[in-house]
Structures are given as C-alpha cells and as structure tokens.
Amino acid sequence: MSTHQNGGSTTCVVESPRIELHDLSHYITNPPDAKLQIKQSANVGMSKGNDSNDVVEGLPSPTTQPDEKPERWNASRLNLFRTLAAFWSFIVMGANDAAYGALIPYLQEYYHLTFVVISLVFLSPLVGYTASALLNNTIHLKFGQRGVAFLSPGCHIIAYVIIAVHPPYPVLVVVFMIAGFGNGLADAAWNAWIGNMANANEVLGFLHGFYGLGAVFSPLIATTMITKGQRLPWYTFYYVMIGLAAIELTTSMAAFWKATGEVFREQNERTSDSTDSRMKEALIRMPYARTTWICAMFLLGYVGIEVALGGWIVKFMLEVRNGGDFASGMVATGYWMGITVGRVILGFVTPRIGEKLAIIIYLALTMVLELIFWLVPQFYVSAVAVSFQGFLMGPLFPAAVVVATRLLPKHLHVSAIGFAAAIGGSGAAIFPFAVGGIAQTRGVKVLQPIVLALLAAILGLWVCLPRIRRKTE
C-alpha cells in the first residue's frame, strides 16, 4: 500500500504540496477507455525494436492536432535540392512515356508486327505499375524516400540498357515492365511529398510541367534521330535515356539520402485509431475509400487519354490526315508542349477558381476541341486542336493530387496517392493497348471516339467527389 502511495502514477495531479490519487473506478465502468489506455501502453513499449513493421500503425489518435505550417519548396537549400531532383525525375518519366508514340511506327517496321502485338509495349508497364501500388507504402515505411530515390532510377537504367541492345521483342515487353515499376514508385512518392507543400497547385504544376517537358523533347529527339541526318536506328534513342537516368540516380540519391524510413515514420504518424493497415484504411474504410477510388478511377481515365493521344497521334496523322513523317512527329511535340504549358500556367489559375469547378470547365472545353479534332479532317486544324487539348488537360493530374491531400489525412497520403497514381499509370497501358487492338480491325481513326467517351467518363467521376475544403497555406 505504501508503494502505491509513493508511486508517482501517471494519473496523479499535484494540487498542493501533497500528492493525491484520482479515483480509477471509471476505468472499470467504461471498458472502451480502459482498452485504449492498455493499447497505448502496449504500443509505446513495442514501438522500438520492430523496424520490420510500421511502428506507427498502432499509435492512437493524438489528443491535440497542432497546426503545422506546410513545407515550402524553397524553405531551405535541402528542400530546393530535393524539389529540383523530383523535377528531373519527372523529366525522365515524361521522356519515357512519350517515346512510345514516336517509336511505334519504327518498332512495328523493325520487328514486323501487327497493331495488336506492337501495342503490348503500352500494356506491359501495367505489371510494373501494379507492383509499385502494392509495394509503395512498404518501401516508404522501411526505406523512406531514400529507397524510392534508389529503386526508381535504378529500374530506369536497367531497362534502358537492355532496350539499347535491341533484344528480341518478347524481352522488350518484359523490360518495359521494369521501367513501369520505376515510374510508379517515383510518381507516387514525389506527388505525395509535393502535394503536402504550401502552394501545392503551383508547385505540382511545375512538377508535372517538367514531365511534359520530357515528353516534349523525347519524341522530338527520337524523330530527329530516326528521320533526319544519318537516320539512326530507333534503339539509339535509348542511349540518351541511359544518360538521363544516370543523372536521375545521382541527384535523387544525393537529395534524399537522409530521408530514411525512420524519418518517414516520424513525420507521418497515424491520426486515427484504426487497427487496419494504411493501405486497407485508404481502400476500404469509408469515407476515405470513396475519395481514394474516385481519384484512382479519374487518373486511370485521364492518363489513359493522355498517353493514348500522345501514343497514337503520330500514327493517326500519318494514316488518317496524310501528314509527312517529320510533320506528324511534330504534332506529338505540339501536344506535349500544350500539356507542359498548361500545367505551369493553369496551375496558378486553378486554385483561384477552385479545383472542382476549374476541372469541370477544362474538361468541357477539351471535349469541344476533341469534336473539332475528330470532325474537321484538316491536318493543321487537327494539329492546333490537339495542342490546345493538351493545354487544357495539363492541370488535371496535379489537381487530383491536391484534392486527395485535402480530403484525406496525412498518414494516408502515400498509400492513397500511390495507389491512385499507380492505377493512373495502368491507364497509360490499358487504353493505348485497347486503341491498338481496335485499330487492328477498324483503323487508327477509332482513337477519337474512344478519347471523347473517356473524357465524358472522367467528368462524371470528378463531379462525384466530396466537397473540397480549402487548405490554409
């Protein structure tokens, strides 16, 4: 008894020079609270020495939520360096994705393949994106952003070295899976990180603008190497990609070396008392699941439209609009340039209108331009229309990421945005492949009605999102 009186229990309060004990009988009459206290004690004791699991998964919801100021991209030299490294990573990703469209005609000729078989280069990254969706949260919890900074560029380098030696076509299909895994990891990690920053719309606009920049120069360089000068074989373009990926590995590792798994777990503690894993909480537990799945399906359709247009536009302009090789390649460049400029410029417009209304307006105008592209059979009209389509579609991906960060708690951002980005990357595989499969029997002109239907579908999904609260920055 004397021990209890002198024990210094955590339930003691000092109201005078003597110590008094509170009545603990309410812990018996109120079992849920008692359970929570036991759970807290157990979790605190187990939080060390179990690094293989998410050590913050079981932490209870904090009793107070301090108002944290969001990070700024230029708040310190380290933040600036990391932001620039993420920008370069997106240049590589954009160059990777846009190269398919420019190289499709030459791959088809080199390997003597049909539309359906050559379209497997679009479908194969789906495996990589799916794997990244499943492993992204685990990689963050165990290795932090440092793990992503190594794995993503590493996958790019391995893939591009193999492609540069122009292996048999089945090997090429497998190698694109590795590149897709690298893209999926970086896409999720850097979107989630920058999406939490101050002025997220603007900074994400620049991030995805650099993706578009890589997508602009990729078909330009590839088309020039193949059609001009010495008319180099298609695979020499991947020598350029090896150099870009090597720079990506160097800058990413240097910038995120200190961003370990331990640092990530400390900065992303759970703000709910759910016993589910973070991925399960994001995908199954309402209301979070609604936001995650709507954003994922929206990005699935959006990225499908983006890559289907960019991937098949050269073939469409060659065969349906009767354009020349170089002129048709430049139409793809104009399209990706439109996406790049739109992401930067409209990134400043979108937050002033409000994400929900702004995207509805952009999509409605894009559908009008798609009808012009489809129904006016003139080469130059089509070239201008598709460039403006790219301009209006540019801010869609960044806006979806910003909306997800506002509707979901911070500890779910990597899981939910990673999943949505990976599903979006799947759109880059599924829909261009579907266009290729249908084009095998009906011709590449089927591109336009498919794109129009997808635009209408993602507009409907966007309207179904919950009301978006304003974030004070």
Side-chain angles (χ1 to χ4, degrees), residues 326-342:
F326 188 75
S328 298
M330 290 305 98
V331 172
T333 299
Y335 167 72
W336 289 108
M337 180 66 78
I339 287 179
T340 304
V341 175

Side-chain angles (χ1 to χ4, degrees), residues 416-435:
I417 294 172
F419 177 80
I423 293 295
S426 303
I430 295 169
F431 293 112
F433 177 77
V435 170

Side-chain angles (χ1 to χ4, degrees), residues 52 126-145 147-148 151-152 155 177-178 180-182 184-186 188-189 264 278-279 283 414-420 422-423:
S52 62
L126 171 62
V127 178
Y129 270 100
T130 303
S132 73
L134 298 174
L135 297 175
N136 174 58
N137 192 57
T138 302
I139 290 170
H140 272 81
L141 290 169
K142 288 189 175 181
F143 307 111
Q145 291 167 319
V148 176
L151 288 173
S152 177
C155 288
M177 298 178 189
I178 300 174
F181 181 72
L185 284 180
F264 176 81
R278 298 183 186 211
M279 183 65 76
L283 299 183
V414 167
S415 300
I417 294 172
F419 177 80
I423 293 295

Side-chain angles (χ1 to χ4, degrees), residues 27 30-41:
Y27 280 91
N30 191 1
D33 289 341
K35 271 186 184 177
L36 182 58
Q37 294 296 326
I38 294 168
K39 184 179 176 183
Q40 288 178 347
S41 301

Side-chain angles (χ1 to χ4, degrees), residues 96-97 99-100 103-104 107 111 118-129 155-156 158-160 162-163 167 169-183 234 238 429:
N96 177 88
D97 290 350
Y100 299 150
L103 296 176
I104 278 285
L107 284 170
Y111 288 105
I118 199 66
S119 296
L120 286 173
V121 300
F122 291 117
L123 190 61
S124 61
L126 171 62
V127 178
Y129 270 100
C155 288
H156 287 154
I158 292 170
Y160 302 150
I162 296 173
I163 296 170
Y169 186 70
V171 177
L172 201 67
V173 171
V174 174
V175 166
F176 281 129
M177 298 178 189
I178 300 174
F181 181 72
N183 272 21
W234 65 269
Y238 281 92

